Amino acid sequence: MDLKRSARLLLITKAIRGYGDGFTALLLPVYLTSLGLGPFEVGLVATAAMLGSAILTLAVGMAGHRVSARGLLMLSCLLMLITGLAFSQAQSFWPLIIVAFVGTLNPSSGDVSVFVPLEQAMMANAGPDADRTTRFAMYNVVGAVGVALGALSVGLIDPRPACWPGPAAICWRLPLRSMA
């Protein structure tokens, strides 16, 4: 099967976003607790993020046919970037709740965001009808592998205050250890 350029780009971005989702799903609670939030507050931030994503996805589904899917996808990417930047700067509970609700933060390893319906609509038209099932299978496999690799890579992080000073002290560590 020869994939169109648009299908290849969708698969690449799905893998990258899946990696980020897997990484975030495991690291987010650690980060929030290191900011001093308790388990209930961490749950509220995750709930706000899921509710915000659900409402945004419904809004795009209801009004998306009036705007190009590519344009909406680019706006969603911009919103994701702004969400990440705002989330990294917010230090207290209420700003975190607001950013989580308004942004595109995904606190679960499943892809539950505005990107899914947009990408699936674009993927359906990214090649011949006879290859559609194969394209969607590749889309799902690439996403699942990305999530798994993202979750696995959290093991490369060592949350020790001596590594990177700040509200959530984090440093990278190499998994290679001496065999001696």
Side-chain angles (χ1 to χ4, degrees):
M1 178 173 110
D2 185 32
L3 289 173
K4 281 180 152 181
R5 181 178 182 271
S6 59
R8 285 193 308 270
L9 285 173
L10 287 169
L11 290 172
I12 290 167
T13 58
K14 172 71 171 175
I16 293 169
R17 198 177 66 257
Y19 179 89
D21 287 345
F23 190 82
T24 303
L26 292 180
L27 193 60
L28 184 64
V30 173
Y31 175 72
L32 293 175
T33 55
S34 72
L35 290 176
L37 273 63
F40 184 73
E41 292 168 319
V42 170
L44 286 176
V45 170
T47 301
M50 296 291 268
L51 281 172
S53 277
I55 291 169
L56 183 60
T57 302
L58 286 172
V60 165
M62 291 170 59
H65 63 282
R66 296 183 189 112
V67 183
S68 79
R70 185 177 187 278
L72 285 173
L73 195 56
M74 297 307 263
L75 284 173
S76 299
C77 290
L78 179 62
L79 180 59
M80 180 182 265
L81 174 68
I82 293 168
T83 300
L85 292 173
F87 208 83
S88 72
Q89 299 305 306
Q91 305 281 319
S92 58
F93 178 69
W94 286 108
L96 288 167
I97 284 282
I98 292 167
V99 171
F101 183 77
V102 173
T104 60
L105 183 70
N106 185 5
S108 72
S109 62
D111 202 351
V112 289
S113 67
V114 68
F115 292 96
V116 175
L118 292 171
E119 288 176 341
Q120 287 180 350
M122 293 173 75
M123 187 62 81
N125 298 316
D129 291 348
D131 295 336
R132 187 174 294 144
T133 302
T134 304
R135 284 194 311 275
F136 276 101
M138 290 173 65
Y139 176 82
N140 288 316
V141 169
V142 162
V145 168
V147 167
L149 291 174
L152 184 63
S153 68
V154 171
L156 298 174
I157 293 198
D158 189 7
R160 292 183 291 175
C163 296
W164 182 8
I170 296 172
C171 73
W172 291 93
R173 82 177 150 184
L174 295 174
L176 304 174
R177 295 190 180 138
S178 171
M179 298 300 252

